[in-house]
Amino acid sequence: MRADAQRNRDRIVEVARDVFREQGYDASLDEVAKRAGVGAGTLYRHFPQRENLLDAIMQSWVDRVNDAADKAVTREGTPREQLLAWFETYVGLISVHKGGPAKITSAMGHEESPIRTKCQTLAAANDRVLDHLREAGALRPDVDSVQMCRLVGGVATVADQGELDAAVVRPLLEVVADGVLAP
């Protein structure tokens, strides 16, 4: 890629991150192009679909997901406390941008999604946490990682769309945790 094309691409990603944070993932791509100082054609050459732009924005997010999973498996406390802490972290990770929980949760498990690599990263991090709890005998044997991502993602979507605070979200996560922990 030519240096000027790379600069344009980088600028589009930087501006899109700000626009999506302000207005949500469904913000106008024309607004992104305008603020980035490029034409719509330039934006679409780099990012043919909105999801391609979302994927580029989410790259730094991957590192945060992996770090969060590392912390979750070394966290002190009961299995329930560990699982709830992971769920709260998970909700935070997918709720960085308005509309993010719905986009990520609906793409979870879909191989043809342009953000599938990010979903796979999130599912793999979730797997690490669940495997840690399985080894301790703390989870029901039928708990599936992608289903778990969808359940917690559903709670995050409701919280995002309803602008619910953490005090309202925690009891919802407790219900999910209590449903998957071994008796």
Side-chain angles (χ1 to χ4, degrees), residues 20 27-34 43-44 47 49-50 53:
F20 290 165
S28 165
L29 294 184
D30 288 338
E31 175 70 16
V32 172
K34 180 180 171 185
L43 184 143
Y44 286 106
F47 306 102
Q49 298 178 332
R50 177 181 299 273
L53 181 55

Side-chain angles (χ1 to χ4, degrees), residues 91 95 98 154-170 172:
V91 168
S95 300
K98 183 85 173 140
V155 170
T157 299
V158 168
D160 179 57
Q161 292 177 353
E163 298 181 8
L164 306 178
D165 63 28
V168 176
V169 173
R170 174 132 178 135
L172 300 173

